[in-house]
Amino acid sequence: MERIHEDQPRKKVTCYLLYCISTAVIGSLQFGYNTGVINAPEQKLRRFFQNVSMERYGEPFSPDSNTMVWSFAVAIFSVGGMIGSFSVGAMVNKFGRRKSMLLANILAIVGGLLMGFSSLSRSFEMVIAGRFVIGVFCGLCTGLTPMYVGEISPTELRGAFGTLHQLGVVIGILVFGLEFLLGSEDLWPLLLALTILPALLQTALLPFCVESPRYLLISLNQEEDAHKALVRLRGSEDVSTDLQEMKEEAMKMALEKKVTIVELFRSRAYRQPLVIAIVLQLSQQLSGINAVFYYSTGIFETAGVAEPIYATIGAGVVNTVFTVVSLFLVERAGRRTLHLIGLGGMAVCALLMTISLSLVSSYQSLSYLAIVAVFGFVASFEMGPGPIPWFIVAELFSQGPRPAAMAVSGFSNWTANFVELCGGYVFIIFMVLLIFFFIFTYLRVPETKGRTFDEIAQGFAVAAVAASPKDGVGLPVPESKGSVPMFSLPPEKAGAP
């Protein structure tokens, strides 16, 4: 039941499809790079703030004022991200997927220039403004990239290609290690402005990518252009199956108008997938992964590691390796299964981290357990909660509500990013949250592997009709022998082999 139409020949991966996906994923790399790059030159930026204050006012910032300016420069990135992610729906409906990515790069260039010339202009305000603009850009990327990749990918490879978004993010995080080359007192503005280069690269490559065939056919009703795009992506003239599936979805979409964010919350048909989308995004940000990465060096120091920086680098390598592992497993094991494995593994590792960090002063050998727990935590995150929430949201919704849903789920992710907790027992809190997310995923999240967008939407529609108004969020109640209706295929597909 999990595989779709086994009698059909498996679509091959063409060089052009890889070109389009790789070009889109440059936006993911940008997100990762700009998330981590600000932490590397922290002390140099703080000194820059002090020097500017001395030049302007004749005295440096007080320690509290300096910390406030620094914290604002860091936090404003997430504020921009929330605004950008919330704007995804309106942007793609007006400009389409490809043109939206092109326009977003304008923000990357503007933000990079502001930060790059901040030292020359002796203005710390330009650093803050640049971080805000870059945040808006990255917020757009977190919606535009998964949406475009999901819509141009063959159904049976949609999960694997969707994981490339997270792979781009973790590679971008690793790349900010360029601080070793550009982290001097004079060159740190170049480190922050380096984001301009991938923006220019993507701008040069995007015109040679096709627009999403689903957008062309379903949203613009341009069947001939959609057919041409599919032929280029699939490397074959026989794209009738893809076109037919899109036409069926288009006919259903013709019966309803475009869905706004307000209508997304009001409609009972969309509540169930919307709740799932939001909770999955929260399971990523509230899992504790940010605490591990932000405080990894401190965690290793507490654990008594002699050279904590190397252990931190090791965690980054594990982060990348297991993202690649997830890429190969997601179409075999399925989204739901990998997400459950990841959440369960993180919960166990969170408990181990709490025990080892609490007792390491008495039992020095527990420092090794702390390192293993951190590495296991990171590996489990990249098996499921890291990559899956980004692309499964695009799978849960049909063409009409998808842009609004991506905007809401992205906004939830960026908002949750504000939650920062610290302390020796913080991972107990994360463990409780992870157990909750595990239970929710087990009970409510359907498997989308090998199913078309239309089949997934039909499954939710059937569940919404079956649910009574008193159910609140419209989550279906198991009807018999532990089976949850939303996990099965729509009625007309249920008999498929």
Side-chain angles (χ1 to χ4, degrees), residues 16 18 49 53 61 83 123 130 137 145 148 259 298 366 392 433 477:
Y16 185 69
L18 291 176
F49 298 160
S53 176
F61 284 128
I83 294 173
S123 171
F137 164 71
T145 301
Y148 180 76
V259 180
L366 286 178
I392 198 174
L433 288 171
V477 179

Side-chain angles (χ1 to χ4, degrees), residues 109-398:
I109 295 171
V110 171
L113 289 174
L114 282 170
M115 293 185 292
F117 285 102
S118 59
S119 179
L120 190 63
S121 304
R122 311 306 292 167
S123 171
F124 61 82
E125 293 90 350
M126 290 177 66
V127 175
I128 296 172
R131 286 293 290 174
F132 173 75
V133 174
I134 285 293
V136 176
F137 164 71
C138 289
L140 289 170
C141 287
T142 56
L144 294 174
T145 301
M147 188 186 304
Y148 180 76
V149 170
E151 291 185 0
I152 68 173
S153 301
T155 299
E156 63 270 24
L157 295 174
R158 198 171 57 225
F161 285 139
T163 305
L164 291 176
H165 169 69
Q166 182 67 10
L167 182 61
V169 173
V170 298
I171 291 175
I173 292 174
L174 280 178
V175 168
F176 84 79
L178 283 172
E179 183 209 6
F180 293 113
L181 298 176
L182 303 175
S184 69
E185 294 289 345
D186 297 325
L187 294 180
W188 64 259
L190 186 58
L191 186 71
L192 299 182
L194 206 61
T195 189
I196 294 174
L197 295 182
L200 291 174
L201 177 62
Q202 190 181 49
T203 301
L205 297 177
L206 272 173
F208 302 100
C209 296
V210 294
E211 177 57 275
S212 162
R214 306 189 75 85
Y215 173 73
L216 291 172
L217 180 60
I218 300 175
S219 299
L220 301 183
N221 196 29
Q222 297 177 359
E223 182 176 343
E224 184 177 347
D225 290 338
H227 181 273
K228 291 178 181 177
L230 278 171
V231 168
R232 294 190 70 185
L233 290 169
R234 305 291 183 258
S236 170
E237 291 291 335
D238 183 15
V239 292
S240 56
T241 302
D242 289 295
L243 275 177
Q244 184 57 35
E245 185 253 313
M246 292 180 196
K247 287 179 180 178
E248 290 175 3
E249 185 177 343
M251 284 190 288
K252 291 177 180 142
M253 289 304 304
L255 301 177
E256 58 183 52
K257 60 182 180 179
K258 285 183 179 178
V259 180
T260 64
I261 291 176
V262 174
E263 291 164 343
L264 195 66
F265 282 96
R266 286 180 177 175
S267 173
R268 294 192 67 255
Y270 301 132
R271 275 182 211 157
Q272 182 174 325
L274 185 63
V275 168
I276 291 173
I278 292 174
V279 173
L280 286 179
Q281 294 287 5
L282 294 179
S283 75
Q284 182 188 87
Q285 287 297 333
L286 300 184
S287 64
I289 192 65
N290 288 335
V292 168
F293 277 117
Y294 291 161
Y295 308 111
S296 57
T297 302
I299 290 172
F300 291 130
E301 287 176 347
T302 302
V305 178
E307 296 290 343
I309 186 63
Y310 294 117
T312 301
I313 293 172
V317 173
V318 170
N319 194 30
T320 305
V321 169
F322 275 86
T323 305
V324 176
V325 171
S326 175
L327 188 153
F328 289 102
L329 289 180
V330 69
E331 293 297 352
R332 294 178 178 271
R335 287 77 155 141
R336 180 171 174 268
T337 300
L338 280 186
H339 199 67
L340 287 170
I341 291 173
L343 291 171
M346 292 176 78
V348 172
C349 291
L351 178 61
L352 293 177
M353 274 190 278
T354 302
I355 295 172
S356 58
L357 293 175
S358 300
L359 301 177
V360 69
S361 58
S362 302
Y363 304 95
Q364 189 60 36
S365 59
L366 286 178
S367 62
Y368 299 105
L369 178 61
I371 296 175
V372 171
V374 169
F375 285 1
F377 193 90
V378 172
S380 298
F381 175 78
E382 292 304 349
M383 289 293 288
I388 288 173
W390 290 120
F391 68 84
I392 198 174
V393 176
E395 295 183 328
L396 295 176
F397 294 88
S398 57

